[in-house]
């Protein structure tokens, strides 16, 4: 908008300057010409009294020589008859005849300038012609200076109008730029972004509306955090009853597994409540994630799920976890993603269905494969949509979204395909460097411990 205003102002001012300066320059030139010939006519008329008294050549020569123009060779007198010129002659006979016939002063162009031919009556009643030479420089005297002044005035007008238009455009553009920056900051999660309510009335109104919207967004998010905390807090009572019941189960693997699950669930609920209550609007970039050992996390989670798999008669295979595999993902996030995917296996496949977890370590990415021999997912795209679910009881559609968001935070993604076991394969692509992360494709990285059975493997 700023440059558009400058261009419009420049075009309009140039047209105005040209429309006025060109005619004015021509008028100045014509005025200088008229002034030069008026002076020449006045000087030529100075010989009229002499010609009225005498036509003697010697007296006329002396009269011509006493004038400035005569001394410079610019004045001549043409007496009646042929060959009667006194002084420096430049005009042609045809020009002289025309002047005598018209009976008034005429101007003729000659090399180096112009000549003024002034007819004057002599004592004999005939007509003599006084010729005065006017150089070209005298005719255009002062024209160049006047044109330079006009050009300078025109340039000053153009520069001034452009400067004024630029200031006006800046006054309009700056509030719009501030509004755009604040919108980008708000979109990036910095909820403290606000705009100064100044500028033209329209932009000021937009700033007021933006600030009101931002305040409302902050309030809505605060309400959501409180709602999440309240809903999570309601789980404490049934969790307390469940923990008391688990304590009465006695000893044994199943009892210990149940108590461990209850404790973990209590920790997760506490984390949800604390995170929801302590969440603040983002005002700066988040710190880089320390990361974790994916192999250690997979081994630990498979130890947890292997007891339930054994109870349900499921064959389990774990591969690629015999050496450390560092990834730029926080341990709780990887644990949540693995538990969500493994929980889906137990929830949505019949008992006795085999599953496997494979960890592949590539040069630029780490791939976690969770495969099963179940019925598969009929619509993978819909399954990845947050909150869509599968339509079955207990399906909220959030499990796969947890894994997807974790992978996308590193520059990777999650894909659903057909596994070698005949069921579903969930592939989590975790980029090791988001700045140079490749586009995830069907290829797989090299396995960090290919072909070996991990802890908890059965069958």
């Amino acid at each position: 908008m700023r440059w558009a205003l400058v261009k419009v102002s420049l075009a309009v001012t140039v047209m105005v300057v040209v429309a006025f300066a060109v005619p004015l320059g021509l008028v100045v030139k014509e005025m200088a010409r008229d002034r030069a010939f008026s002076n020449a006519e006045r000087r030529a008329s100075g010989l009229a009294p002499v010609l009225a008294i005498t036509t003697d050549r010697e007296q006329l020569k002396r009269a011509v020589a006493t004038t400035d123009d005569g001394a410079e060779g610019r004045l001549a007198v043409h007496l009646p008859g042929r060959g009667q010129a006194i002084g420096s002659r430049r005009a042609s006979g045809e020009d002289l005849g025309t002047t005598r016939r018209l009976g008034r002063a005429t101007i003729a162009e000659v090399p180096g300038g112009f000549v003024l031919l002034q007819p004057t009556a002599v004592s004999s009643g005939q007509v003599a012609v006084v010729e005065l030479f006017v150089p070209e420089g005298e005719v255009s005297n002062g024209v160049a200076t006047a044109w330079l002044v006009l050009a300078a005035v025109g340039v000053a007008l153009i520069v001034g109008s452009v400067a004024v238009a630029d200031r006006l455009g800046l006054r309009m553009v700056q509030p719009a730029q501030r509004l755009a920056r604040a919108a980008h900051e708000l979109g990036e999660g910095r909820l403290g972004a606000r705009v100064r309510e100044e500028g033209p009335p329209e932009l000021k109104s937009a700033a007021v509306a933006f600030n009101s919207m931002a305040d409302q967004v902050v309030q809505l998010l605060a309400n959501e955090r409180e709602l999440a905390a309240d809903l999570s807090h309601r789980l404490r009572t049934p969790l307390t009853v469940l923990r008391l019941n688990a304590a009465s189960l006695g000893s044994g693997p199943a009892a210990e597994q149940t108590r461990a699950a209850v404790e973990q669930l209590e920790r997760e609920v506490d984390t949800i409540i604390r995170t929801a209550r302590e969440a603040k609007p983002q005002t700066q970039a988040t710190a880089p994630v320390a990361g974790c050992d994916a192999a250690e996390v997979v081994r630990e989670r498979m130890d947890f799920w292997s007891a339930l798999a054994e109870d349900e008669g499921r064959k389990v295979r774990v591969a690629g976890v015999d050496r450390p595999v560092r990834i730029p993902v926080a341990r709780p996030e990887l644990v949540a993603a693995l538990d969500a995917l493994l929980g889906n296996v137990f929830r949505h496949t019949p008992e006795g269905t085999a599953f496997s977890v494979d960890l592949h370590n590539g040069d630029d990415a780490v791939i976690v494969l969770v495969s099963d021999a179940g019925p598969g997912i009929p619509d993978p795209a819909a399954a990845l949509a947050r909150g869509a679910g599968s339509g079955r009881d207990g399906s909220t559609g959030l499990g796969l979204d947890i894994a997807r968001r974790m992978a996308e935070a590193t520059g990777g993604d999650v894909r659903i395909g057909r596994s070698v076991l005949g069921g579903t394969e969930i592939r989590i692509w975790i980029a090791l460097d988001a700045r140079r992360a490749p586009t995830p494709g069907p290829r797989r990285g090299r396995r960090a411990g290919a072909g070996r059975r991990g802890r908890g493997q059965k069958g």
Side-chain angles (χ1 to χ4, degrees):
M1 180 185 296
R2 178 181 179 184
W3 295 116
L5 288 175
V6 169
K7 291 177 182 178
V8 170
S9 177
L10 177 62
V12 172
T13 307
V14 168
M15 288 189 293
V16 171
V17 168
V18 170
F20 283 93
V22 172
L24 190 58
L26 295 177
V27 169
V28 168
K29 182 179 179 181
E30 192 64 28
M31 288 177 63
R33 178 186 174 92
D34 291 344
R35 182 175 63 252
F37 288 119
S38 296
N39 291 334
E41 188 173 354
R42 178 179 53 79
R43 297 198 302 271
S45 299
L47 288 178
V50 178
L51 290 172
I53 296 173
T54 181
T55 58
D56 182 71
R57 294 180 60 85
E58 294 301 324
Q59 291 182 359
L60 290 176
K61 284 182 180 181
R62 286 195 297 271
V64 169
T66 58
T67 63
D68 294 336
D69 292 318
E72 296 176 0
R74 297 166 56 182
L75 182 64
V77 177
H78 301 275
L79 296 173
R82 296 182 176 272
Q84 299 297 318
I86 300 173
S88 302
R89 174 179 177 175
R90 290 180 176 83
S92 64
E94 183 181 355
D95 294 333
L96 294 172
T98 301
T99 301
R100 288 191 176 98
R101 185 175 65 255
L102 296 176
R104 57 182 175 82
T106 60
I107 298 172
E109 187 174 0
V110 297
F114 302 87
V115 289
L116 173 69
L117 300 176
Q118 177 71 44
T120 303
V122 296
S123 57
S124 62
Q126 294 179 311
V127 178
V129 177
V130 179
E131 174 188 330
L132 182 64
F133 174 68
V134 181
E136 178 69 32
E138 187 174 331
V139 173
S140 60
N141 183 31
V143 175
T145 302
W147 283 4
L148 287 176
V149 172
L150 288 175
V153 172
V155 171
L157 288 174
I158 292 173
V159 172
S161 67
V162 168
V164 171
D166 182 68
R167 292 300 93 190
L168 291 175
L170 187 62
R171 183 174 176 270
M172 296 177 62
V173 169
Q174 279 184 336
Q177 290 176 337
R178 288 195 293 267
L179 184 61
R181 284 196 299 269
H184 284 300
E185 291 176 2
L186 187 64
E188 292 171 357
R190 293 191 283 274
L191 303 182
R194 296 295 184 274
V195 184
R196 295 200 302 270
E197 299 172 1
E198 59 184 19
E202 295 81 3
L203 292 176
K204 186 175 180 180
S205 176
V208 172
F210 175 85
N211 291 338
S212 176
M213 177 196 68
D215 292 338
Q216 204 145 12
V217 167
V218 171
Q219 185 61 42
L220 288 174
L221 290 177
N223 294 340
E224 286 189 5
R225 288 196 299 271
E226 289 299 323
L227 179 60
D230 292 343
L231 292 177
S232 302
H233 194 273
R234 294 180 186 180
L235 296 176
R236 287 185 180 275
T237 300
L239 276 176
T240 301
V241 175
L242 186 60
R243 180 166 55 82
L244 294 175
N245 291 338
S248 64
L249 292 178
S251 60
E256 293 297 330
Q257 189 78 13
T258 302
R259 282 190 283 270
V262 172
E263 291 176 0
Q264 182 186 359
L265 187 55
E266 286 184 330
R267 288 195 299 270
E268 294 294 339
V269 170
D270 290 339
T271 300
I272 293 173
I273 295 174
R274 185 169 55 255
T275 302
R277 287 273 165 81
E278 295 178 356
K280 300 294 182 184
Q282 181 182 351
T283 57
Q284 59 185 4
T286 56
V289 179
C292 66
D293 181 2
E296 188 272 332
V297 173
V298 171
R299 289 196 301 268
E300 190 268 333
R301 299 319 299 158
M302 289 307 297
D303 285 343
F304 175 83
W305 289 99
S306 60
L308 182 58
E310 185 175 357
D311 291 342
E312 293 187 359
R314 298 175 182 269
K315 291 183 178 181
V316 181
R317 184 178 67 83
V318 183
V321 295
D322 58 341
R323 61 179 179 178
V325 179
R326 298 295 302 181
I327 59 173
V329 175
R331 178 186 175 85
E333 295 183 10
L334 182 59
V335 169
L338 285 174
D339 284 348
L341 298 183
L342 294 174
N344 284 343
V345 173
F346 283 90
R347 189 177 300 110
H348 300 302
T349 61
E351 293 188 8
T353 301
F355 67 95
S356 65
V357 178
D358 296 86
L359 186 64
H360 298 266
N361 185 14
D363 295 332
D364 51 14
V366 171
I367 300 175
V368 180
L369 298 178
V370 179
S371 307
D372 63 62
I377 298 178
D379 191 350
L384 284 173
R386 180 174 175 82
S390 63
R392 304 171 184 171
D393 292 339
S395 176
T396 62
L398 301 181
L400 286 173
D401 187 70
I402 292 174
R404 180 184 60 79
R405 286 188 287 113
M406 178 203 70
E408 289 180 351
T410 68
D413 73 347
V414 172
R415 296 192 177 186
I416 301 177
R418 200 71 178 173
S419 74
V420 294
L421 300 178
T424 302
E425 176 186 85
I426 309 296
R427 176 181 302 184
I428 306 176
W429 183 290
I430 302 172
L432 298 180
D433 187 351
R435 293 172 298 179
R436 56 183 181 87
T439 302
R443 64 184 181 89
R444 299 183 180 181
R446 58 183 177 83
R447 182 178 296 180
R452 300 188 180 181
R453 296 177 182 270
R455 188 180 305 175
Q457 180 179 351
K458 181 178 179 181

